[in-house]
Amino acid sequence: MGYRVVVAGATGNVGREMLNILAEREFPVEEIAALASRKSLGTEVSFGDKTLTTKDLDTFDFTGWDIALFAVGSDATKIYAPKAAAAGCVVIDNSSLYRYDPQVPLIVPEVNADAIEGYKAKNIIANPNCSTAQMVVALKPLHDRAKIKRVVVSTYQSVSGAGKAGIDELWNQTKGIYVPGQEVEPSKFTKQIAFNVIPHIDSFMEDGSTKEEWKMVAETKKILDPKVKVTATCVRVPVFVGHSEAINIEFEDFLDEEEARDILREAPGVLVVDKREAGGYITPVECVGDYATYISRIRQDSTLDNGLNLWCVSDNLRKGAALNAVQIAEVLGNRCLKKG
């Protein structure tokens, strides 16, 4: 006997990935429903070797369904997630709406799977921001060994983090630069993204940071350890899929780079590719479609007594979104629902 699973937002980039990963990982599905807004109603999406026709999220009855994976944005989630939860369906939400709610667990399974029991308060579990998810997977095993005091991270985030509109803008803008008369002005992004980098993701806050940077700080504290200090600079780059991060870590205790490399090689969800030669590291192009969080460029920081630098790359549509949501569903099933 398997689970009755709903994917809300099934026609979007993340929703389609959720369906792909549920099938790839052979999640025990008895029945599955793909939901979309009315403008996408009737669109066909793939689930393994099956084709599903989307149903109307607005009129869907969640009664009798076990798990709902939400990829519809905060505004729609605010309306439909409480309805699903009240009907007894556990919501795993990919938006930012519930991430900072103390009654809603924010889960990265490799890091804080034990927090899953907290879902019972509201029948909702939050999926973290894509840039946070890959970073804490890398930080957790190192934190267990040497206690992290401070993290300085600069992100290089792909346009797929801004949805299909972000992908389309990069594609069309790049073409337009070479085809006279087909130039494309910025629309999704604040400045030209083709052949450029933009140090601005989400809205600005009063202290000068952006909301994306604030998310990384707040979520790392909630998932990993509230005592860890985090400062972030988040940058959009002209890459279609795959977020990269340059991470500087200060520990309470000394951690040798060789030991750090060995720890990360054994860590769940991590793959180390770290040869000190041309090409001996991972770039976003190579991580697309993979489950792993890749770590390269591990080295001591000579400016700190207990410092390390590393390079972290992951497919943001997978580990940063859809994969993490499905992994949460797996933990929920194995530890709590125990049906599949």
Side-chain angles (χ1 to χ4, degrees), residues 162-230:
K164 185 177 182 295
I167 293 173
D168 289 346
E169 187 156 315
L170 174 58
W171 174 253
N172 292 326
Q173 223 169 53
T174 302
K175 286 193 300 179
I177 285 172
Y178 290 103
V179 182
Q182 292 189 21
E183 295 84 0
V184 175
E185 290 297 313
S187 174
K188 181 65 178 178
F189 302 112
T190 55
K191 297 200 176 192
Q192 175 184 312
I193 186 60
F195 305 100
N196 198 17
V197 298
I198 305 172
H200 175 194
I201 301 177
D202 212 325
S203 56
F204 272 95
M205 304 179 73
E206 284 188 10
D207 66 353
S209 61
T210 64
K211 189 116 182 249
E212 185 81 358
E213 292 156 357
W214 176 84
K215 288 174 189 174
M216 291 195 75
V217 175
E219 292 174 20
T220 301
K221 287 177 175 290
K222 183 172 180 179
I223 296 166
L224 184 65
D225 187 335
K227 295 178 182 176
V228 174
K229 296 178 180 179
V230 181

Side-chain angles (χ1 to χ4, degrees), residues 55 98 141 151 187 200 251 285 288 291 297 315 318 333:
K55 299 178 181 179
Y98 292 104
V151 175
S187 174
H200 175 194
F251 298 91
V285 167
V288 175
Y291 290 151
R297 303 291 321 279
D315 182 330
R318 293 211 148 200

Side-chain angles (χ1 to χ4, degrees), residues 134-294:
Q134 69 187 68
M135 184 172 76
V136 295
V137 167
L139 295 180
K140 169 64 173 173
L142 302 178
H143 184 58
D144 287 346
R145 161 62 181 81
K147 282 288 178 197
I148 294 171
K149 289 173 61 177
R150 182 172 185 255
V151 175
V152 181
V153 57
S154 296
T155 71
Y156 307 77
Q157 295 180 223
S158 66
V159 294
S160 57
K164 185 177 182 295
I167 293 173
D168 289 346
E169 187 156 315
L170 174 58
W171 174 253
N172 292 326
Q173 223 169 53
T174 302
K175 286 193 300 179
I177 285 172
Y178 290 103
V179 182
Q182 292 189 21
E183 295 84 0
V184 175
E185 290 297 313
S187 174
K188 181 65 178 178
F189 302 112
T190 55
K191 297 200 176 192
Q192 175 184 312
I193 186 60
F195 305 100
N196 198 17
V197 298
I198 305 172
H200 175 194
I201 301 177
D202 212 325
S203 56
F204 272 95
M205 304 179 73
E206 284 188 10
D207 66 353
S209 61
T210 64
K211 189 116 182 249
E212 185 81 358
E213 292 156 357
W214 176 84
K215 288 174 189 174
M216 291 195 75
V217 175
E219 292 174 20
T220 301
K221 287 177 175 290
K222 183 172 180 179
I223 296 166
L224 184 65
D225 187 335
K227 295 178 182 176
V228 174
K229 296 178 180 179
V230 181
T231 182
T233 301
C234 294
V235 182
R236 189 73 73 188
V237 297
V239 170
F240 284 112
V241 178
H243 287 357
S244 305
E245 298 170 349
I247 307 174
N248 175 265
I249 311 164
E250 182 181 1
F251 298 91
E252 289 184 8
D253 304 311
F254 179 76
L255 179 59
D256 178 75
E257 64 187 38
E258 291 298 336
E259 185 181 356
R261 196 173 286 109
D262 290 341
I263 289 169
L264 288 167
R265 282 198 179 106
E266 298 299 319
V270 172
L271 274 177
V272 175
V273 178
D274 190 18
K275 297 179 181 178
R276 293 178 175 178
E277 60 187 44
Y281 41 80
I282 289 291
T283 62
V285 167
E286 297 151 293
C287 81
V288 175
D290 282 359
Y291 290 151
T293 295
Y294 287 92

Side-chain angles (χ1 to χ4, degrees), residues 107-120:
I107 302 291
V108 174
E110 297 93 337
V111 179
N112 65 335
D114 290 346
I116 196 107
E117 295 288 347
Y119 87 91
K120 295 171 185 174

